[in-house]
Amino acid sequence: MTVARINRISEFEGKTVQLNGWVYNSRRSGKIGFLMFRDGFGIMQCIVAKNDVGEEAFEVFKSLTQESSLSVVGEVVKNDRAPGGFEMVVSELMVHQLSSEYPITPKEHGTDFLMNHRHLWLRSKRQHAILKVRHEIIKAVRDFFDSNDFTLCDSPIFTPNAAEGTSTLFGTDYFGNTAFLAQTGQLYGEAAAMAVGRHYNFGPTFRAEKSKTRRHLTEFWMVEPEIAYCEIDENMNWAERLILFIIERVLENRKNELDVLERDLGKLEHIKAPFPRLSYTECVELLNKGGINFTWGDDFGAPEETFIGEQFNQPVMVHRFPTAIKAFYMKRDPENEKVVLGMDVLAPEGFGEIIGGSERETEINLLEDRIKDEELNQADYEWFLDLRRYGSVPHSGFGMGIERVVAWICNLPHVRETIPFPRTIGRLNP
Amino acid sequence: MTVARINRISEFEGKTVQLNGWVYNSRRSGKIGFLMFRDGFGIMQCIVAKNDVGEEAFEVFKSLTQESSLSVVGEVVKNDRAPGGFEMVVSELMVHQLSSEYPITPKEHGTDFLMNHRHLWLRSKRQHAILKVRHEIIKAVRDFFDSNDFTLCDSPIFTPNAAEGTSTLFGTDYFGNTAFLAQTGQLYGEAAAMAVGRHYNFGPTFRAEKSKTRRHLTEFWMVEPEIAYCEIDENMNWAERLILFIIERVLENRKNELDVLERDLGKLEHIKAPFPRLSYTECVELLNKGGINFTWGDDFGAPEETFIGEQFNQPVMVHRFPTAIKAFYMKRDPENEKVVLGMDVLAPEGFGEIIGGSERETEINLLEDRIKDEELNQADYEWFLDLRRYGSVPHSGFGMGIERVVAWICNLPHVRETIPFPRTIGRLNP
């Protein structure tokens, strides 16, 4: 018997096939049973008629509980009124296991309860849809870079030092020494860009931030392109093209999932290049004009990011931040040394920063000064400084946090649903 | 001026373009300079004739040192004798930085020296070729699973417990508790497979093994598919198809890089399905017949793996291992409870195990027994046992270590060159 998958069921119209899966839910009207059947690839309505399957099998159907595992055999028929456009007329049922008292029922549950049952919660329609959109976004990111001649070079997680200070680092005993879990692969990415021209790394990243906000995870995935012979404007072009590519792919392939999530597609379809590009200083003016009291030199928080994003209903690219609030490796603006050639991308609809990047400092003496100013240990950075000793070139890059992009695209209020098994200050389970 | 990339240079035949990059090496014959120009995408010969560029620029050419950064402008011309089939007749040179005393010269260097300069060593032709093959393998793996309806669900790195015992785990302080760095995502993968049918995770994995061998890293990348409604034979089919797909892709797209590595392509082209499938017991007989003294019940080491692999010149799939040497979650063979339905894939040419997997135990009482036998704490596994309480189904999966596959495909004697920044018991730098 051919085993079919629900996402490809249209290929089997008129044929008798087997489906392997679980009971999503079921109801009965006299001698006709309606089984919403979940196989992991999709959900399909299966019709179980007593006259078709016989009395014994119909009794089996009646005994089915939520998330019982079973296989069904039947004919695939077109039915425009059925969800997905097809249904199965079942001729045979084979139960693998009857579940009893599946914890997640169609009634409301609290967040903590659901998070404690995350291993089961993933089976629900909404979480399944988020997983699929996340997959699509990650695939789009990789396809984008791969098709533009970027080379993936995985950066190490175990690192002997800290790119941006040690306060938010997780450490581990490394055979008698301390290794820190990388919170960025950027310094390694710069080395790779000098070897391969266009580089990206894409992996989990760790921050021991004590922030309990709806935007923070202790473990999250980040993609970081780094490009040799690339200045800040081209860097912003890459960020813009990447975002457009992601949205195009998601709209092309995941409209069903966005429907499940009740996402307003118009807001995504509306996203168009060129994205507004504003300097930090222009943003400060915009904030003050908008009645938000903000002092030049401070870092934007969520309220400022939301305000700026809301003025445009497009991703906004903010550039040229105060030197003092940005990392030591950012290049100072040759026209104004109070600012660096950093750039952030703020998502619309209040989703805040999704990308942070910059053109990098190429001059070794300026880097050495900044390392001293920030009270970092220069010896830790000698290998990194080698990149400025041997064939230094203009280069730029950025990091994009995947979970924040998933939150934006899916319109989720909290990042905890954007990753299969979220880790926050209060959660290490399951 | 159009900036071209060397990997796409054939598109620019007869045109004048700019290249941005570095000096790979250079030599001179009277008034003609030969510049091997590296742009990260490839290496191309550039002809710098005094008559074309003028006296001043020719002096600049003469001053160029290894890994100096520069841009060149010139006409792209076909030349079948040039490496890559094209060369550039340079009309203009723009130097960005002259390198002095680049540490990695064409002479021989010791491994430790090269590893200490890994951030620069990546620029060499051989390391560049390995990076490209690694990229291709990773892309092939992801494309394979994506195109077969697998859903990527990233498994967490921070975990509260250990899938296979705690002896080789790295730990970190997690806000007052201990989090362990995952050495497999498998248990989470099983949960995901019940949600999405076919799942894979692909990320860095950590083992605090004190092994100083040519096959061990403390940090390595692993892909782990997990498939609902899949038994051991189908599991072996997936492993076989994956390996064939990888080899096909690498041969299709990375022959140049394999040439640089002087890889014997015939040995890869020779790989064909079906791969030999032998039970562990059959392997023991084979070993004993071959004069290798080996007792049923012991685990294979490198010499046994090499011997078995060498009998076939194909990847060999070994299945049905002694229960006692395998993890608690492997399903016992219904026909012989002394063995479990585990399977390993051994690469040919002595490269040893590249895949380990199994059909998983579906019966909760058998799992509970094994957890007790192994003296694991059942409370840590309650969430995992939920997968057997609610809709348990036959399922299987495996893990493939990327670095070992790269070592095999590139024919590298040691895994340390298979990853951009290797981490071993003795190395955490750069």
Side-chain angles (χ1 to χ4, degrees), chain A residues 5 49 66-67 71 91 109 123 158 175 205 211 226 230 245-246 249 285 292 300 380 393 427:
Chain A
R5 300 192 295 285
Q66 193 189 351
E67 286 301 324
S71 300
S91 50
H109 297 283
R123 302 180 187 185
F158 287 141
F175 308 108
T205 311
S211 318
E226 189 75 30
C230 172
F245 188 82
I246 291 169
R249 277 285 188 89
E285 286 162 16
I292 294 179
F300 296 142
D380 291 343
V393 303
R427 175 162 299 279

Side-chain angles (χ1 to χ4, degrees), chain A residues 97 134 149 154 171-172 392, chain B residues 8 97 134 154 157 171-172 392:
Chain A
Q97 189 196 37
R134 178 185 169 94
D149 291 341
D154 297 304
T172 187
S392 187
Chain B
R8 300 183 182 271
Q97 188 195 36
R134 178 185 168 95
D154 297 304
I157 306 295
T172 187
S392 188

Side-chain angles (χ1 to χ4, degrees), chain A residues 111-113 115-116 218 422-430, chain B residues 174:
Chain A
T111 301
D112 236 39
F113 178 86
M115 277 294 165
N116 286 335
T218 56
R423 296 297 182 243
T424 59
I425 181 167
R427 175 162 299 279
L428 185 58
N429 281 290
Chain B
Y174 194 85

Side-chain angles (χ1 to χ4, degrees), chain B residues 177-189:
Chain B
N177 290 307
T178 298
F180 296 105
L181 305 190
Q183 54 185 356
T184 166
Q186 187 205 310
L187 304 193
Y188 295 95

Side-chain angles (χ1 to χ4, degrees), chain B residues 256-269:
Chain B
N256 287 344
E257 284 79 4
L258 294 176
D259 274 352
V260 169
L261 298 168
E262 297 172 331
R263 180 57 163 125
D264 179 350
L265 293 185
K267 294 218 165 129
L268 296 177
E269 284 159 351

Side-chain angles (χ1 to χ4, degrees), chain A residues 5 8 21 97 132 134-135 149 151-152 154 157-158 171-172 174 218-219 229 388 391-392 423-424, chain B residues 5 8 21-22 97 132 134-135 149 151-152 154 157-158 171-172 174 218-219 229 386 388 392 423-424:
Chain A
R5 300 192 295 285
R8 300 182 182 273
Q97 189 196 37
K132 286 292 196 182
R134 178 185 169 94
H135 174 112
D149 291 341
T151 302
L152 171 71
D154 297 304
I157 306 294
F158 287 141
T172 187
Y174 194 85
T218 56
E219 177 182 333
Y229 288 98
R388 275 63 176 179
S392 187
R423 296 297 182 243
T424 59
Chain B
R5 301 193 295 285
R8 300 183 182 271
W22 297 266
Q97 188 195 36
K132 286 292 195 183
R134 178 185 168 95
H135 174 112
D149 291 341
T151 302
L152 171 72
D154 297 304
I157 306 295
F158 286 141
T172 187
Y174 194 85
T218 56
E219 176 181 332
Y229 287 98
D386 275 355
R388 276 62 175 178
S392 188
R423 295 298 182 243
T424 60

Side-chain angles (χ1 to χ4, degrees), chain B residues 365-377:
Chain B
N365 54 328
L366 291 177
L367 274 174
E368 285 170 342
D369 288 350
R370 289 297 304 276
I371 285 170
K372 210 171 288 167
D373 290 351
E374 309 242 334
E375 296 177 5
L376 299 169
N377 179 11

